[in-house]
């Protein structure tokens, strides 16, 4: 008997309990996401299909696109800024009284037809070469800026002209991610709704060019004294250069600025040839840099106020991200260290000595004489007074903070201190070597003043040769390092040549006054400062804490040089009255042996360290004029006048102490008369 054949194809597992569906009619359920992939074995199960990859990419992209479109459709172009609502930046004296208010917007709107084509071409070549064809935004520029904001990196440009116009016209200048996102959408919308000509006109009327000028018309007057329509292509390229940052490219502000401005000016002209907006033949006509006129201050900054604001703004920029443009935009409350009575007294002292001793009508050598002075509080480095020139409106260059006047013999104390530091280091090295060789160490008393090394008398007599020899012996690099550690700026240091030791460097009056406090403060130097606090919208701005003193030289090095400087002061203050009132005073000065074109006196007491410089200069002459014959044949190349100014000033601001008969001795100072406590560190 033959059994029926069982077909394998119909062989199935019994259905689960409760499932009455015939086995042949059941289908495998599909997963929503087929991963790991069914029907694959080994590593192939873990390779996603192209469908899955496409979905993973397209779904987020679609969501972002939808979000982008929704935000774009809901963004409305706001009203333009009202320039009349801009706040001023107010500066205050140290006593809290108001010094000056700065920030009235200097802006004169003009039509695009009043802007020469050369100006438009220069700006577009410099800032956004494809302005007429772009969509109004630079995605890469925004992305780069956003990454830098999130990571705390340096903010940078890369924005289109449309983006910059939107920022100037509708948004704040804050460097935040939110503001950059707003800028992106507004720029797209503005680019779609406004013609390029209107955008370019708005940009040229709202951009910051420095010198308190918003817009190309105000800038044209500020730099060249003409309306924008009269600018030539060379001048236009200079104004386009300033859009990158007037603080860094205004050629009148510093030598480094001038070099940067010339390089970018030349590049912008070449760039116009490259982009086709200027012919090579036209470019060849502009090879000489179009020097702008000197800056001028508004009348509210007449007298010394403009110089005080100048020093304050420089300090603010060095301690924060605040720029001149921010300050001009207004809203800041700046509290300074300047004391009104001392500024007035310093000005009166300069004017009195000039009136008494100089006669430019009779002596040609008395013409073009300039004076700069600064007064610093030794205990904390606060700048309490400066004299920057006769009037900030008429003479913009700040003589108190300029770098270009050689210090001469006033620099020698730093050579002396470097030599003593070197001697001390050699003794310690010898002592360590002796100890390593198991010999008795060379005894060294570190609590006694250092020996004079025979430089005291050369310092008092302004003898150059010993200082040239000393600098060569210890190495000029050590002298430079100590001078910089004491507070002189690196960029004011001269080349390391033999004459370096006799004062070819050009520190400012502010820096020399501050550096001399190192000899009063036991070898500790404090960075000079001019701002105690800044507020904006009632909130304090970070970064304006008092500078902390730092070690610049050994205590007894400072004390030893201080004793020598007392003797300089004794000789310089020849009047018995001055000697009685102000000794002990540490003083440095230039003398008859100095052949430099400047005269200096720095006098430091426990109350004030004040430096005074005198020199001659003409705007159209690059180098300083000779000082020979200034004030007559007995003026020692003008070196007699800075001590007189110093004395007049200190008579007015430092009350005479109560002196005993012993204090009125006519004997010169010695180590015994060095101020008690000098060389100690609290």
């Amino acid at each position: 008997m033959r059994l029926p054949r069982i077909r394998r194809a119909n062989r199935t597992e019994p259905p689960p309990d409760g499932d009455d569906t015939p086995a042949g009619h059941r289908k495998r359920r599909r997963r929503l996401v087929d991963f790991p992939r069914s029907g694959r074995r080994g590593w192939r199960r873990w390779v996603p299909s192209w469908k899955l990859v496409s979905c993973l990419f397209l779904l987020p992209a679609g969501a972002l696109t939808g979000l982008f479109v929704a935000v774009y459709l809901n963004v409305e172009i706001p009203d333009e800024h009202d320039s009349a609502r801009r706040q001023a930046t107010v500066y205050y004296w140290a006593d809290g009284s108001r010094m000056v208010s700065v920030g009235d917007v200097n802006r004169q709107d003009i039509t695009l037809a009043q802007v020469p084509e050369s100006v438009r071409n220069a700006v577009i070549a410099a800032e956004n070469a494809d302005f007429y064809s772009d969509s109004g935004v630079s995605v890469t520029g925004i992305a780069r800026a956003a990454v830098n904001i999130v990571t705390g990196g340096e903010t940078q440009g890369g924005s289109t002209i449309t983006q910059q116009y939107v920022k100037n016209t509708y948004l704040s200048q804050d460097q935040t991610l939110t503001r950059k996102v707003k800028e992106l959408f507004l720029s797209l919308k503005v680019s779609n709704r406004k013609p390029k000509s209107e955008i370019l006109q708005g940009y040229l009327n709202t951009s910051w060019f420095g010198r308190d000028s918003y817009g190309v018309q105000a800038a044209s007057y500020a730099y060249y004294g003409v309306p924008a329509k009269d600018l030539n292509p060379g001048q236009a390229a200079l104004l386009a250069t300033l859009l990158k940052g007037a603080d860094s490219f205004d050629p009148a502000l510093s030598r480094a600025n001038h070099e940067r401005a010339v390089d970018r000016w030349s590049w912008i002209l070449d760039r116009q040839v490259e982009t086709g907006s200027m012919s090579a033949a036209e470019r060849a006509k502009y090879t000489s840099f179009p020097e702008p006129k000197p800056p001028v201050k508004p009348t509210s900054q007449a007298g010394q106020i403009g110089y005080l604001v100048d020093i304050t703004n420089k300090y603010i920029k060095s301690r924060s991200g605040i720029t001149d443009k921010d300050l001009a935009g207004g809203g800041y409350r700046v509290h300074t260290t300047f004391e009104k009575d001392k500024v007035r007294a310093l000005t009166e002292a300069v004017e009195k000595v000039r009136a008494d001793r100089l006669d430019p009508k009779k002596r040609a050598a008395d013409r073009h004489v300039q004076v700069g002075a600064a007064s610093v509080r030794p205990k904390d480095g606060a700048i309490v007074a400066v004299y920057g020139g006769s009037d900030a409106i008429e003479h913009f260059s700040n003589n108190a903070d300029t770098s270009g006047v050689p210090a001469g013999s006033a620099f020698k104390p730093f050579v002396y201190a470097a030599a003593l530091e070197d001697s001390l280091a050699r003794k310690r090295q010898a002592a360590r070597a002796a100890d390593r060789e198991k010999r008795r160490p060379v005894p060294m008393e570190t609590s006694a003043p250092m020996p004079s090394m025979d430089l005291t008398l050369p310092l008092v007599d302004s003898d150059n040769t010993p200082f040239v020899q000393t600098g060569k012996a210890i190495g000029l690099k050590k002298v430079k390092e100590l001078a910089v550690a004491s507070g002189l700026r690196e960029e004011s240091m001269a080349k390391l040549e033999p004459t370096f030791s006799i004062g070819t460097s050009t520190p400012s009056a502010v820096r020399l006054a501050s550096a001399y406090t190192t000899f009063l403060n036991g070898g500790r130097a404090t960075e000079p400062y001019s701002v105690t606090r800044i507020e904006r919208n009632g909130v304090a701005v970070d970064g304006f804490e008092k500078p902390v003193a730092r070690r610049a030289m050994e205590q007894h090095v400072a004390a030893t040089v201080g004793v020598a400087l007392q003797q300089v002061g004794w000789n310089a203050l020849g009047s018995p009255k001055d000697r009685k009132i102000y000794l002990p005073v540490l003083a440095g000065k230039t003398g008859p042996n100095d052949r430099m074109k400047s005269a200096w006196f720095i006098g430091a007491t426990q109350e004030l360290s004040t430096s005074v410089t005198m020199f001659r200069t003409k705007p159209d002459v690059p180098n300083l004029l000779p000082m020979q014959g200034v004030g007559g044949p007995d003026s020692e190349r003008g070196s007699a006048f800075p001590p007189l100014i110093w004395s007049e000033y200190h008579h007015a601001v430092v009350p005479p102490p109560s002196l005993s008969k012993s204090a009125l001795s006519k004997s010169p100072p010695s180590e015994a008369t060095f101020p008690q406590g000098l060389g100690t560190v609290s």
Side-chain angles (χ1 to χ4, degrees):
M1 180 174 178
R2 183 177 295 176
L3 296 175
R5 181 178 298 176
I6 300 175
R7 296 183 179 178
R8 294 180 179 272
N10 292 333
R11 186 182 300 171
T12 59
E13 298 293 331
D17 293 342
D19 188 353
D20 297 331
T21 304
H25 293 279
R26 285 199 311 271
K27 295 182 179 179
R28 186 185 301 272
R29 293 178 181 175
R30 292 185 177 181
R31 292 180 293 173
L32 181 62
V33 178
D34 185 22
F35 190 83
R37 298 175 67 181
S38 60
R40 299 288 190 274
R41 296 178 181 236
W43 60 269
R44 292 182 176 83
R45 295 191 65 210
W46 303 99
V47 177
S49 66
W50 66 269
K51 294 181 180 180
L52 179 59
V53 172
S54 299
C55 287
L56 290 175
F57 174 77
L58 292 175
L59 286 176
L64 287 175
T65 301
L67 178 62
F68 186 93
V69 171
V71 173
Y72 176 82
L73 293 175
N74 284 280
V75 165
E76 294 296 333
I77 300 176
D79 294 333
E80 295 185 2
H81 288 317
D82 183 359
S83 298
R85 291 200 299 265
R86 289 183 184 271
Q87 301 179 64
T89 291
V90 184
Y91 298 79
Y92 297 90
W93 295 101
D95 63 4
S97 60
R98 184 169 172 150
M99 178 196 301
V100 67
S101 177
V102 178
D104 292 335
V105 176
N106 177 22
R107 174 177 159 187
Q108 304 166 45
D109 287 351
I110 57 177
T111 65
L112 196 61
Q114 295 173 286
V115 180
E117 187 177 3
S118 61
V119 174
R120 287 177 264 168
N121 291 340
V123 169
I124 291 173
E127 295 294 305
N128 186 183
D130 56 352
F131 166 69
Y132 285 110
S133 60
D134 66 22
S135 62
V137 299
S138 168
V139 177
T140 56
I142 290 179
R144 183 171 60 249
V147 170
N148 287 334
I149 291 169
V150 172
T151 61
E154 181 183 358
T155 58
Q156 52 184 281
S159 299
T160 65
I161 284 177
T162 304
Q163 288 174 253
Q164 294 179 62
Y165 164 68
V166 165
K167 181 175 65 174
N168 294 341
T169 308
Y170 305 111
L171 303 174
S172 71
Q173 300 295 321
D174 297 335
Q175 293 289 348
T176 64
L177 186 58
T178 301
R179 205 271 293 154
K180 294 299 291 185
V181 172
K182 288 181 180 178
E183 178 188 304
L184 169 65
F185 287 101
L186 277 176
S187 298
L188 288 170
K189 202 144 210 174
V190 166
S191 183
N192 285 332
R193 290 192 178 181
K194 292 189 176 186
K196 291 288 188 178
S197 59
E198 185 177 342
I199 294 171
L200 182 59
Q201 175 179 296
Y203 173 68
L204 291 172
N205 279 326
T206 58
S207 292
W208 168 254
F209 288 86
R211 299 195 182 183
D212 296 325
S213 58
Y214 282 89
V216 68
Q217 180 80 335
S220 185
Y221 280 114
Y223 287 88
Y224 292 108
V226 299
K229 66 182 181 63
D230 293 337
L231 292 169
N232 65 45
Q235 295 167 332
L238 184 276
L239 293 190
T241 294
L242 298 167
L243 291 169
K244 191 172 178 65
D247 293 353
S248 300
F249 289 90
D250 184 341
L253 297 184
S254 69
R255 183 179 301 173
N257 270 26
H258 194 280
E259 293 176 356
R260 283 191 291 265
V262 171
D263 287 344
R264 185 162 176 82
W265 169 81
S266 180
W267 176 83
I268 289 174
L269 290 171
D270 292 340
R271 178 70 171 159
Q272 291 180 72
V273 176
E274 182 181 337
T275 57
S277 60
M278 178 184 283
S279 67
E282 179 74 5
R283 167 66 179 92
K285 297 177 183 178
Y286 301 99
T287 56
S288 297
F289 184 70
E291 298 288 351
K293 68 177 188 175
V296 295
K297 288 286 186 183
T299 54
S300 63
Q301 298 184 44
Q304 298 304 305
I305 299 299
Y307 303 124
L308 300 178
V309 170
D310 175 61
I311 287 178
T312 301
N313 288 352
K314 286 179 181 176
Y315 184 77
I316 290 171
K317 290 184 289 184
S318 72
R319 297 292 294 254
S320 69
I322 298 173
T323 66
D324 280 334
K325 181 179 180 180
D326 298 328
L327 293 169
Y332 292 92
R333 300 292 180 266
V334 182
H335 297 265
T336 75
T337 59
F338 302 119
E339 299 180 20
K340 190 187 307 183
D341 61 327
K342 290 183 173 61
V343 172
R344 184 185 303 113
L346 187 55
T347 301
E348 291 174 352
V350 173
E351 291 175 349
K352 183 179 186 303
V353 171
R354 288 186 68 114
D356 291 347
R357 301 301 181 107
L358 299 181
D359 191 347
K361 293 182 179 179
K362 291 184 178 180
R363 284 190 296 265
D366 290 0
R367 298 167 192 163
H368 312 298
V369 172
Q370 296 290 334
V371 176
S375 198
V376 173
R377 193 164 56 215
K379 69 177 182 180
D380 63 355
I383 308 171
V384 298
V386 300
Y387 179 85
S390 57
D391 193 317
I393 294 177
E394 300 173 359
H395 177 77
F396 178 76
S397 179
N398 191 338
N399 295 343
D401 199 34
T402 187
S403 179
V405 183
S409 292
F411 184 79
K412 291 176 182 176
F414 304 106
V415 182
Y416 195 173
L420 294 173
E421 288 277 315
D422 183 71
S423 175
L424 182 59
R426 290 175 185 274
K427 287 185 178 182
R428 287 176 173 165
Q429 186 177 10
R432 288 194 295 268
D435 187 48
R436 285 197 301 269
E437 294 176 9
K438 310 262 185 221
R439 294 199 301 263
R440 182 171 180 150
V442 177
M444 235 178 52
E445 181 58 59
T446 58
S447 62
M450 295 294 296
S452 68
M453 297 183 63
D454 298 323
L455 286 180
T456 296
L457 187 59
L459 183 64
V460 174
D461 292 341
S462 190
D463 189 356
N464 291 333
T465 303
F467 285 91
V468 173
Q469 294 172 340
T470 300
K472 182 179 179 180
I474 66 173
L476 296 177
K477 184 179 178 181
K478 293 181 180 178
V479 177
K480 176 182 175 180
E481 289 173 347
L482 185 135
V484 171
S486 299
L488 303 187
R489 290 191 181 279
E490 174 90 22
E491 56 267 28
S492 71
M493 295 291 101
K495 293 182 180 180
L496 298 184
E497 299 172 343
T499 54
F500 179 82
S501 295
I502 56 174
T504 52
S505 294
T506 58
S508 68
V510 170
R511 287 287 165 170
L512 267 179
S514 176
Y516 266 61
T517 66
T518 306
F519 303 115
L520 276 171
N521 292 329
R524 286 188 174 271
T526 304
E527 189 76 4
Y529 72 101
S530 57
V531 176
T532 56
R533 73 179 188 277
I534 297 183
E535 299 169 354
R536 191 167 193 268
N537 298 326
V539 179
V541 178
D542 293 334
F544 293 94
E545 302 79 13
K546 283 187 178 181
V548 178
R550 62 188 183 280
R551 172 68 58 191
M553 63 185 73
E554 294 282 350
Q555 295 179 17
H556 298 295
V557 168
T560 302
V561 176
V563 171
L565 291 175
Q566 281 192 49
Q567 297 184 48
V568 174
W570 175 270
N571 286 359
L573 301 176
S575 165
K577 179 182 178 182
D578 288 341
R579 287 177 175 176
K580 291 175 185 178
I581 293 177
Y582 298 118
L583 287 178
V585 57
L586 279 63
K589 69 183 293 290
T590 52
N593 292 330
D594 283 273
R595 292 295 182 267
M596 312 239 174
K597 298 176 182 180
S598 58
W600 284 88
F601 182 82
I602 302 95
T605 68
Q606 295 291 347
E607 293 82 13
L608 290 173
S609 176
T610 304
S611 64
V612 182
T613 182
M614 180 179 283
F615 55 95
R616 297 178 66 226
T617 182
K618 288 180 64 177
D620 55 341
V621 178
N623 299 320
L624 297 181
L625 303 177
M627 290 289 290
Q628 186 70 37
V630 172
D634 299 328
S635 71
E636 298 180 353
R637 295 177 179 268
S639 295
F641 298 138
L644 293 176
I645 295 171
W646 186 93
S647 297
E648 289 286 344
Y649 169 63
H650 273 252
H651 274 301
V653 299
V654 179
S658 177
L659 299 173
S660 64
K661 289 184 179 180
S662 61
L664 302 182
S665 168
K666 294 183 179 180
S667 302
S670 63
E671 292 178 9
T673 66
F674 208 65
Q676 186 176 3
L678 189 65
T680 63
V681 180
S682 59

